[in-house]
């Protein structure tokens, strides 16, 4: 009889992680469930649902007959995710805490806890994603010693593990996994890889996991809950009032309580206006937030952007990009938005320029540019700079056209001697 493998499954208290644990048990593994507490409800004024989620995770483990553990990463979350989030907002950017939480908490601290403290052969989550490894290849990674040198052994041949979209393309969550390390990916199983959300719900019902079926799908930033974002962020950052300025003619349309309370593309609350206005740009130096009169204003559309240093899932950039410094693939910066064809240019500092096949609305600094090729998630980079908007380009064309119409002014006529 073979060795029974020990798999630690991250339990969120939802249907996906509960069914992931169910599938692992049915595959004959020795399964443990662990709930992570990342936010301390005592530190906030609103209602936090983490206690209820913990109860639901514990109940799922009870129904499945597997051990249940709790682990707190409140301190780590504050230092590595939330402090980063506040810093980004102060700089005028809009961060994505879900991607950072996966990178630093679930696929770093939790992964270490599962493999080293609980002595698991692998960790598992309820994400809709898959890798290029089968289960046995994941288990073999446990016995591979980590590198002792800071430098890669050039004689070592180790095939990188790739991250692929799950079978349910609508629920696919590789977007949120686009910053995780190669080492963590090697030790991770995704039991829901080949399943659709509807089938997962059906399995939960048949297994008696009714308590997770009635829960709402978790949306938005977990620690904010049902509260207004502006009120929440102003509990942590000092108000920085400034003007709401029309991008069209410079008219002051109203006031705001801080540029960090607003993000590109959202509706701006301006009194006395018949039609809604939308945030199209920010100037952190002056505190001005620029607004436009329609949801699809040209100032919201851009087709070029630059990231910070790009995180490649396979560690190294794709060979074609290294060889030619350019590559065609697909882009998204919001989960579930349609993939857009793009051309990527690799810079010497590891950042990339991305040129899109068509302008996209409200590309936002601080969000992550996630790249895909043929169903594979290549990785992501934080958006740091934007190219000119369609509005700026149109103004430039109009100025050039006006200058050409004026033409050169005629000089004085030649005088006969």
């Amino acid at each position: 009889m073979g060795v029974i493998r020990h798999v630690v499954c991250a339990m969120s208290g939802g249907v996906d992680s509960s069914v992931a644990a169910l599938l692992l048990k049915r595959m004959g593994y020795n399964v443990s469930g662990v709930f992570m507490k990342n936010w301390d409800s005592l530190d906030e004024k609103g209602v936090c649902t983490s206690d209820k989620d913990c109860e639901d995770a514990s109940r799922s483990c009870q129904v499945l007959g597997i051990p249940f553990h709790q682990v707190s990463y409140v301190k780590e979350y504050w230092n590595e995710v939330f402090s980063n989030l506040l810093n980004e907002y102060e700089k005028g950017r809009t961060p994505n805490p879900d991607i950072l939480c996966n990178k630093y908490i679930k696929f770093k601290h939790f992964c270490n806890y599962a493999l080293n403290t609980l002595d698991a052969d692998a960790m598992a989550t309820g994400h809709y994603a898959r890798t290029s490894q089968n289960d046995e290849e994941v288990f073999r990674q446990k016995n591979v010693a980590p590198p002792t040198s800071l430098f890669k052994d050039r004689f070592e041949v180790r095939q990188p593990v790739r991250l692929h979209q799950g079978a349910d393309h609508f629920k696919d969550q590789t977007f949120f996994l686009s910053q995780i390390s190669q080492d963590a990916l090697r030790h991770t199983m995704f039991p829901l890889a080949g399943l659709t959300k509807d089938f997962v719900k059906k399995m939960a019902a048949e297994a008696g996991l009714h308590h997770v079926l009635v829960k709402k799908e978790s949306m938005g930033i977990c620690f904010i809950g049902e509260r207004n974002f502006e009120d929440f962020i102003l509990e942590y950052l000092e108000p920085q009032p400034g003007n709401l300025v029309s991008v069209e003619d410079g008219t002051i349309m109203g006031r705001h309580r801080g540029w960090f309370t607003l993000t590109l593309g959202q509706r701006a609350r301006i009194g006395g206006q018949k039609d809604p206005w939308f945030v199209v740009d920010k100037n952190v130096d002056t505190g001005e937030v620029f607004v436009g009169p329609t949801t699809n204003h040209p100032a919201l559309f851009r087709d070029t952007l630059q990231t910070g240093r790009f995180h490649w899932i396979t560690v190294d950039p794709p060979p074609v990009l290294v060889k030619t410094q350019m590559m065609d693939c697909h882009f998204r910066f919001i989960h579930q938005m349609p993939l857009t064809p793009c051309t990527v240019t690799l810079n010497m500092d590891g950042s990339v320029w991305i040129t899109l096949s068509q302008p996209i609305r409200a590309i936002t600094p601080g969000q992550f540019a996630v790249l895909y090729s043929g169903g594979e998630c290549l990785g992501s980079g934080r958006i740091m700079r934007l190219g000119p908007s369609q509005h700026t380009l149109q103004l430039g064309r109009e100025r050039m056209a006006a200058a050409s119409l004026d033409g050169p002014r005629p000089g004085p006529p030649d005088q006969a001697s």
Side-chain angles (χ1 to χ4, degrees):
M1 185 175 175
V3 176
I4 297 178
R5 302 291 191 176
H6 180 205
V7 181
V8 169
C9 186
M11 304 293 289
S12 66
V15 64
D16 296 329
S17 58
S18 297
V19 171
L22 167 69
L23 287 166
L24 291 166
K25 189 179 178 189
R26 286 184 178 174
M27 285 186 266
Y29 302 132
N30 175 20
V31 185
S32 299
V34 179
F35 177 82
M36 283 172 278
K37 183 175 182 179
N38 297 332
W39 188 252
D40 194 342
S41 55
L42 299 177
D43 283 353
E44 57 178 274
K45 297 172 186 173
V47 177
C48 184
T49 61
S50 67
D51 291 341
K52 178 69 170 71
D53 291 336
C54 185
E55 285 175 26
D56 290 336
S58 175
R59 191 170 166 191
S60 291
C61 290
Q62 197 174 1
V63 170
L64 298 174
I66 63 174
F68 174 72
H69 304 266
Q70 285 185 66
V71 62
S72 173
Y73 293 122
V74 170
K75 182 176 148 189
E76 291 84 354
Y77 191 94
W78 180 275
N79 291 333
E80 298 177 56
V81 179
F82 193 68
S83 294
N84 177 291
L85 174 137
L86 295 178
N87 188 43
E88 286 290 288
Y89 275 120
E90 284 193 300
K91 291 178 178 175
R93 299 194 281 260
T94 303
N96 189 316
D98 296 322
I99 288 178
L100 296 176
C101 182
N102 279 325
K103 178 175 184 172
Y104 293 116
I105 308 300
K106 192 171 286 184
F107 289 88
K108 180 184 164 188
H109 294 295
F110 176 77
C111 183
N112 289 335
Y113 173 78
L115 299 177
N116 300 319
T117 303
L118 297 182
D119 199 30
D121 294 295
M123 67 168 272
T125 73
H127 287 101
Y128 290 84
R130 64 186 178 90
T131 74
S132 54
Q133 292 187 126
N134 60 40
D135 291 356
E136 277 308 310
E137 287 172 320
V138 177
F139 296 136
R140 282 201 292 271
Q141 300 292 346
K142 176 75 174 176
N143 301 316
V144 177
T148 54
S149 168
L150 290 173
F151 304 100
K152 190 189 293 185
D153 182 354
R154 63 194 178 95
F155 298 108
E156 179 190 28
V157 179
R158 202 176 182 197
Q159 204 61 19
V161 177
R162 299 181 181 276
L163 179 63
H164 295 279
Q165 292 178 289
D168 189 332
H169 275 220
F170 180 74
K171 278 297 296 178
D172 170 60
Q173 290 170 309
T174 51
F175 177 86
F176 298 113
L177 303 174
S178 61
Q179 280 277 312
I180 68 174
S181 71
Q182 176 68 196
D183 189 55
L185 196 62
R186 286 183 182 279
H187 293 96
T188 302
M189 300 167 70
F190 297 115
L192 306 187
L195 305 183
T196 63
K197 181 76 176 191
D198 288 341
F199 192 74
V200 166
K201 287 181 176 178
K202 185 181 174 187
M203 288 190 71
E206 290 172 352
L209 295 163
H210 303 291
H211 64 290
V212 293
L213 277 173
V214 296
K215 291 181 76 168
K216 275 192 200 174
E217 192 88 6
S218 59
M219 300 290 285
I221 303 173
C222 58
F223 47 78
I224 294 179
E226 300 296 319
R227 286 171 300 158
N228 174 274
F229 172 76
E230 183 174 321
D231 293 338
F232 173 82
I233 204 69
L234 286 170
E235 289 178 22
Y236 298 93
L237 298 177
E238 287 292 322
Q240 300 280 349
N243 291 326
L244 295 169
V245 181
S246 169
V247 73
E248 298 198 323
D249 59 14
T251 302
I252 296 175
M253 305 296 298
R255 299 279 288 170
H256 62 79
R257 293 202 284 170
W259 59 83
F260 42 78
T261 66
L262 299 162
T263 191
L264 301 194
Q266 83 172 75
R267 183 171 175 170
R269 289 185 292 183
I270 302 175
Q273 296 297 316
K274 182 182 173 185
D275 297 314
W277 285 63
F278 295 84
V279 177
V280 300
D281 208 350
K282 303 181 193 179
N283 186 328
V284 175
D285 294 329
T286 64
E288 293 174 314
V289 172
F290 296 94
V291 292
T294 61
T295 186
N296 287 323
H297 193 280
L300 274 171
F301 286 81
R302 302 170 192 260
D303 61 7
T304 54
L305 61 106
Q306 185 181 18
T307 71
R309 187 173 183 83
F310 202 87
H311 172 82
W312 301 100
I313 293 289
T314 56
V315 181
D316 295 320
V320 64
L321 188 57
V322 174
K323 185 177 179 181
T324 66
Q325 266 67 61
M326 293 184 75
M327 174 182 75
D328 292 332
C329 56
H330 287 82
F331 159 92
R332 68 163 48 119
F333 77 100
I334 299 173
H335 178 228
Q336 294 181 336
M337 74 175 279
L339 288 169
T340 301
C342 67
T343 299
V344 176
T345 305
L346 182 64
N347 300 318
M348 292 292 289
D349 62 359
S351 66
V352 300
W353 272 103
I354 299 174
T355 305
L356 305 170
S357 63
Q358 62 189 53
I360 289 181
R361 181 184 184 274
I363 298 172
T364 306
Q367 292 288 296
F368 284 89
V370 184
L371 298 179
Y372 291 84
S373 179
E376 179 184 356
C377 177
L378 301 176
S380 64
R382 198 191 306 260
I383 299 171
M384 302 302 286
R385 292 175 61 193
L386 301 178
S389 70
Q390 297 301 295
H391 178 67
T392 300
L393 292 172
Q394 181 60 33
L395 289 177
R397 285 191 291 268
E398 288 172 3
R399 286 192 191 108
M400 288 180 68
S404 65
L405 284 174
D406 289 344
R409 293 191 177 186
D414 290 337
Q415 298 294 322
S417 54

